[in-house]
Amino acid sequence: MRRPAAALLCAVLLAGCAADAGERPGAADSRAQDPARAVSAPRSLPPVVDHVPTREPVVFLTYDDGAERDPRFVGLVRERRLPVSMFLTDSVVGPGYGHFARLRAVGASIQNHTLDHPALRGLPYAGQRAEICGQQHKLRSRFGISPRLFRPPYGTYDRTTLRAAADCGITAVVLWRASLSADGGLTYTRGEPALRAGDIVSVPAGESMSPSLTERTERLLREIERRGLRVGRLEDHLEGRLEGHLEGHPEGRTESRSESPSERTPGRRAARN
């Protein structure tokens, strides 16, 4: 009779010790079966911007792909201290990363434009993530940086693009409100057809475009100065404004940005955004 009583007492004491230690029977199993506890909070989607609200008289110059590697452009950026943003595509840059290392050394920033320049909208998450994260890895290995800005090829994207970009460490998806054509004119994607403070400007580039990238940029700088504006650093103006205060676009843009006349010229390699 004494042995069963003693056994019962031991069982009660052991159960009490387990409860005090937080080791309630079955607790670990219930946590494992609750997927809500295992999944971390989703990342917030990056804003999509083509204009940055600012009181400063600045616009932002952006260049895509990396096909055109005009050596004089490095000198222009250095002499004018131009804080330009270069959105690079690995398959386009090819062996030309040294040129962009020189640009970075004189003040240009290097940003992400995918590995292979596909139209991302409609692609599955895995494919979009591979394009964006893959270029993040390339740029990290080349320059030791992790870009925060991303431009989708052709200006098209969907919600999956934003999810993939966020998961790759991107904090803003950058489009453009103005684009420079080969003849030096500016075309606008929306709003007033005039350059204004805060505009993001795309300068298309291609291997055989004429005038050269340096000449086209010099023309653009004259127009910027004529309007009482100057070139600002996009990253600096975006910083601190990424909490929903930017002018943006609805998630899931479905159309491509309009091409400039130079991109439609037969017999010339199209400049891709």
Side-chain angles (χ1 to χ4, degrees):
M1 295 295 294
R2 290 183 179 180
R3 289 182 179 178
L8 178 61
L9 178 60
C10 288
V12 170
L13 291 174
L14 288 171
C17 292
D20 290 341
E23 298 174 356
R24 292 182 298 276
D29 292 340
S30 66
R31 284 196 299 269
Q33 293 169 3
D34 183 3
R37 297 183 182 218
V39 177
S40 60
R43 296 176 185 267
S44 59
L45 297 180
V48 182
V49 299
D50 63 7
H51 177 92
V52 183
T54 178
R55 294 182 179 180
E56 294 186 48
V58 295
V59 294
F60 310 104
L61 300 190
T62 63
Y63 299 76
D64 292 349
D65 303 339
E68 188 172 358
R69 296 186 280 275
D70 180 358
R72 293 187 302 155
F73 185 67
V74 178
L76 177 65
V77 171
R78 181 182 61 250
E79 292 165 12
R80 299 291 295 268
R81 298 183 179 180
L82 296 176
V84 298
S85 300
M86 315 299 295
F87 289 84
L88 301 185
T89 295
D90 182 69
S91 62
V92 177
V93 176
Y97 275 104
H99 172 81
F100 295 99
R102 291 188 287 274
L103 274 171
R104 183 168 179 260
V106 297
S109 77
I110 304 298
Q111 305 297 340
N112 190 325
H113 197 43
T114 70
L115 280 174
D116 298 309
H117 208 276
L120 294 177
R121 180 175 56 85
L123 295 181
Y125 171 82
Q128 297 205 39
R129 189 179 190 280
E131 282 288 338
I132 302 170
C133 286
Q135 182 64 342
Q136 290 288 86
H137 296 320
K138 287 279 188 179
L139 296 175
R140 189 179 302 117
S141 66
R142 294 281 185 173
F143 303 109
I145 59 173
S146 295
R148 306 290 298 278
L149 307 183
F150 169 67
R151 172 166 286 168
Y154 313 106
T156 60
Y157 65 95
D158 55 21
R159 185 179 179 86
T160 301
T161 310
L162 304 184
R163 285 177 49 222
D167 290 343
C168 295
I170 298 298
T171 58
V173 173
V174 179
L175 302 183
W176 60 94
R177 197 184 82 85
S179 180
L180 183 70
S181 61
D183 62 5
L186 286 167
T187 58
Y188 298 87
T189 62
R190 66 182 183 90
E192 179 186 4
L195 201 60
R196 56 190 174 101
D199 278 348
I200 298 173
V201 183
S202 170
V203 183
E207 289 179 333
S208 59
M209 290 187 70
S210 180
S212 70
L213 185 63
T214 300
E215 293 167 330
R216 297 198 306 277
T217 300
E218 287 173 335
R219 290 182 185 180
L220 177 57
L221 290 174
R222 288 193 290 269
E223 175 64 14
I224 290 170
E225 291 165 357
R226 188 180 72 81
R227 292 183 175 275
L229 302 168
R230 55 184 171 82
V231 180
R233 183 173 294 278
L234 180 59
E235 295 84 343
D236 293 348
H237 284 75
L238 281 177
E239 188 174 342
R241 293 178 174 269
L242 297 178
E243 299 298 327
H245 302 297
L246 291 164
E247 293 182 21
H249 292 268
E251 294 169 6
R253 188 175 186 85
T254 58
E255 72 276 16
S256 296
R257 289 281 169 140
S258 58
E259 295 178 332
S260 67
S262 63
E263 295 173 287
R264 296 191 297 267
T265 303
R268 175 183 294 165
R269 175 173 176 174
R272 303 183 303 177
N273 284 324

